[in-house]
Amino acid sequence: MELTAPLITALYAGLNGLVALWLSINVTRNRAKRDIDFGDGGDAEMQRVIRVHGNNSEYTALALVLLAVIEIVGAPSLAIHVLGIGLFVARAWHAQGVYSSPGRSMGRLVGQTVTWLVILLASLYAIYLFFAGGMSS
């Protein structure tokens, strides 16, 4: 099997990188607005802004690694695009949902659920690819 660069994953890494940048800028903007140099200063809104950024970083990194792995080992392009689009939309929707309401929100629920679904499907597909072809190597 010839390995190729995960070019489709690169697209979704770039798009999710823009989401991460937007969230980072939002943290910095809120720190300046509240005159908080480090941490959250005990400010509930600042805590929420920081957690949205942290949550995005935690889940997006794992999902992109999984997408790259299954792309490299031969997942169909359509599968990578579906999972990549799902991840991008889910992370943006989750962030919007948390920003719109400090408590539960539809954006937060759907965004997190779709993120978990992307990670689940990519994980299962990676395991499947190992058993389908990796064990014979």
Side-chain angles (χ1 to χ4, degrees):
M1 169 176 49
E2 182 180 327
L3 299 181
T4 60
L7 294 176
I8 298 170
T9 301
L11 169 64
Y12 298 106
L15 290 172
N16 281 286
L18 294 175
V19 171
L21 180 62
W22 171 63
L23 296 174
S24 296
I25 290 168
N26 196 41
V27 169
T28 301
R29 186 181 60 78
N30 275 276
R31 283 189 200 282
K33 182 169 108 177
R34 291 172 171 75
D35 197 29
I36 299 171
D37 292 328
F38 185 79
D40 58 35
D43 182 283
E45 180 64 18
M46 193 69 226
Q47 291 170 1
R48 184 165 49 144
V49 169
I50 290 169
R51 273 314 307 146
V52 171
H53 177 263
N55 181 281
N56 184 70
S57 299
E58 294 156 6
Y59 285 103
T60 303
L62 173 60
L64 288 171
V65 167
L66 287 164
L67 286 182
V69 166
I70 65 174
E71 182 176 0
I72 288 167
V73 296
S77 296
L78 180 60
I80 304 302
H81 280 294
V82 168
L83 293 172
I85 290 167
L87 178 65
F88 173 68
V89 170
R91 297 320 303 157
W93 203 350
H94 179 269
Q96 185 280 331
V98 175
Y99 285 142
S100 69
S101 170
R104 295 182 182 132
S105 70
M106 186 57 72
R108 184 176 183 185
L109 173 67
V110 173
Q112 194 62 57
T113 301
V114 173
T115 299
W116 287 343
L117 186 60
V118 167
I119 291 171
L120 173 66
L121 293 173
S123 296
L124 292 175
Y125 199 74
I127 293 166
Y128 164 76
L129 288 171
F130 170 77
F131 284 108
M135 288 186 63
S136 62
S137 300

